[in-house]
Amino acid sequence: MATAAFRGMVALFALVAAPAHAHLVETGFGAFYDGIAHVAVTPADLLVVVALALLAGQCGTQAARYALFALPVAWLVGGAVGARWLSAAALPLLTTLSFAIAGSLVALNARIRDVGVAALAIAAGLLHGLVNGATMVPGGSAGLALGGAVCAIFFLMAILAAEVTALPAGWPRIVVRVAGSWIAASGLLMFGWLVRAAG
Amino acid sequence: MAPAAALAHEETGQAAGFLAGLSHPVSGLDHVLAMVAVGLWGAVLGPPAIWVLPVAFPLVMALGGLMGLLGIPVPGVEIGIAVSAIVLGAMVLAEARPSLWIAAAIVAFFAIFHGHAHGRELPEGTSALLYSLGFVVATGLLHAVGILLGGAHRWAVGRRAVRVAGGGVAAAGLFFLWRAIA
């Protein structure tokens, strides 16, 4: 049953997958730092981490704690799977959708349960990790690079989510919602570019 | 003496895409004036409109951009943009205070035209996502400029200045409308 579900997921990803054009940036400091840099220079990854951190912070301390560990761990698991099985695929539509949804929830100031935030973080982490894993294999040292990326995600998530949970009501929290709307709007436009490019 | 093969490479189109997106909205006066007017009107209306409008506008504008990218036609885009400047400027000039939903609906309606016209002009060789992000951020910052200028509304002199600015936007909108029709 579990094998059938896994095969179904792989088939689904294969349907929406595009050839992977991304690759690891070489910083010259080694694979670990290449992984850190990868997060910084991959807008889709950066935006989903920022959006989820803002969302987790908006939903409170407990949600932020769950998301802080759920996202990097899921990213690592997804990366390991991507490095092993989906080495030729990128999922731009799904990765775009992930940060667009997270940004929309931030803009709407959606009150989501702690477990719901963790579930979103796990789903996004698995998806983006999967793509990262596939991206990092061609450069070699995928494990170290993935470790660097996961560390960068953990620290970014920790800093941003902590800041947002501590924000007072009023303008600071409105700025967070505006940031969410910008992320969601960028995702909508990107979705259009992808559909147009495919058509 | 014994050089190794260069494995590093340049990430092309990233910064260029963001900067192109950032500069695109400010390259057209019609877009600039309408966006600033959204901020000014938000400031005139006060909370919660002062933040609802800037949160809603980018989302609906992106929806307009998405329609453009998907090839869904919107008739009279240039006329719509010109009328947006006229209506939004007139709202500021008249210090109109409709209910939040009506104000949001007016702004959202015009956001479709702005997104449709400007959101799909990607320069070749640039990153589409960073271009989109830059475009949205620039539009949001123009709203912020309007909100900051609209902050003067709390003083008598500032209130007159804000109304005059609204009148100026509406007058410019009339010029854009004439240009779009002629």
Side-chain angles (χ1 to χ4, degrees):
Chain A
M1 183 68 185
T3 312
F6 178 74
R7 282 181 181 162
M9 269 184 67
V10 171
L12 178 71
F13 285 144
L15 273 176
V16 293
H21 297 300
H23 44 259
L24 207 53
V25 171
E26 293 193 17
T27 58
F29 295 109
F32 184 81
Y33 293 95
D34 293 351
I36 293 175
H38 180 78
V39 177
V41 299
T42 311
D45 289 353
L46 196 57
L47 288 178
V48 81
V49 176
V50 170
L52 284 170
L54 297 179
L55 180 67
Q58 271 183 330
C59 291
T61 312
Q62 195 61 36
R65 283 178 185 149
Y66 284 160
L68 177 61
F69 289 98
L71 183 69
V73 170
W75 204 293
L76 190 62
V77 172
V81 173
R84 173 70 182 81
W85 282 293
L86 287 172
S87 58
L91 307 161
L93 276 176
L94 291 179
T95 51
T96 299
L97 202 63
S98 68
F99 70 78
I101 289 172
S104 302
L105 292 172
V106 174
L108 294 169
N109 197 19
R111 288 290 155 201
I112 303 170
R113 289 181 183 179
D114 301 343
V115 179
V117 174
L120 275 172
I122 289 170
L126 284 173
L127 175 64
H128 285 257
L130 204 65
V131 177
N132 271 197
T135 303
M136 289 168 179
V137 166
S141 308
L144 259 182
L146 197 59
V150 167
C151 285
I153 290 157
F154 178 84
F155 284 112
L156 187 59
M157 185 88 185
I159 291 164
L160 269 179
E163 283 293 336
V164 175
T165 52
L167 285 177
W171 277 108
R173 289 200 170 261
I174 289 165
V175 169
V176 170
R177 293 184 67 175
V178 169
S181 88
W182 289 2
I183 292 171
S186 304
L188 264 179
L189 285 170
M190 186 60 200
F191 187 72
W193 289 113
L194 289 170
V195 171
R196 193 163 88 160
Chain B
M1 291 289 286
L7 297 174
H9 51 264
E10 281 185 88
E11 282 287 325
T12 55
Q14 301 274 22
F18 185 71
L19 290 176
L22 206 59
S23 61
H24 182 80
V26 291
S27 64
L29 193 60
D30 49 357
H31 191 73
V32 170
L33 290 178
M35 296 309 100
V36 172
V38 169
L40 283 174
W41 196 26
V44 169
L45 290 168
I50 194 168
W51 60 265
V52 168
L53 301 187
V55 168
F57 192 96
L59 285 171
V60 186
M61 185 187 71
L63 198 64
L66 180 65
M67 288 166 69
L69 288 164
L70 297 180
I72 301 169
V74 172
V77 169
E78 291 303 322
I79 292 173
I81 289 173
V83 172
S84 75
I86 296 170
V87 171
L88 293 169
M91 292 294 174
V92 176
L93 175 65
E95 294 184 316
R97 295 175 193 277
S99 69
L100 177 64
W101 289 109
I102 293 174
I106 291 170
V107 166
F109 175 71
F110 289 122
I112 294 281
F113 293 100
H114 286 269
H116 197 280
H118 296 286
R120 59 195 170 101
E121 296 167 7
L122 178 71
E124 203 172 327
T126 55
S127 158
L129 178 52
L130 284 173
Y131 173 82
S132 303
L133 188 64
F135 179 78
V136 170
V137 168
T139 299
L141 291 176
L142 287 172
H143 291 154
V145 168
I147 290 170
L148 287 174
L149 293 174
H153 192 260
R154 70 187 73 166
W155 301 292
V157 176
R159 192 171 168 174
R160 275 197 291 277
V162 169
R163 293 186 68 182
V164 167
V169 172
L174 282 170
F175 170 71
F176 296 137
L177 182 63
W178 170 74
R179 208 172 55 175
I181 293 172

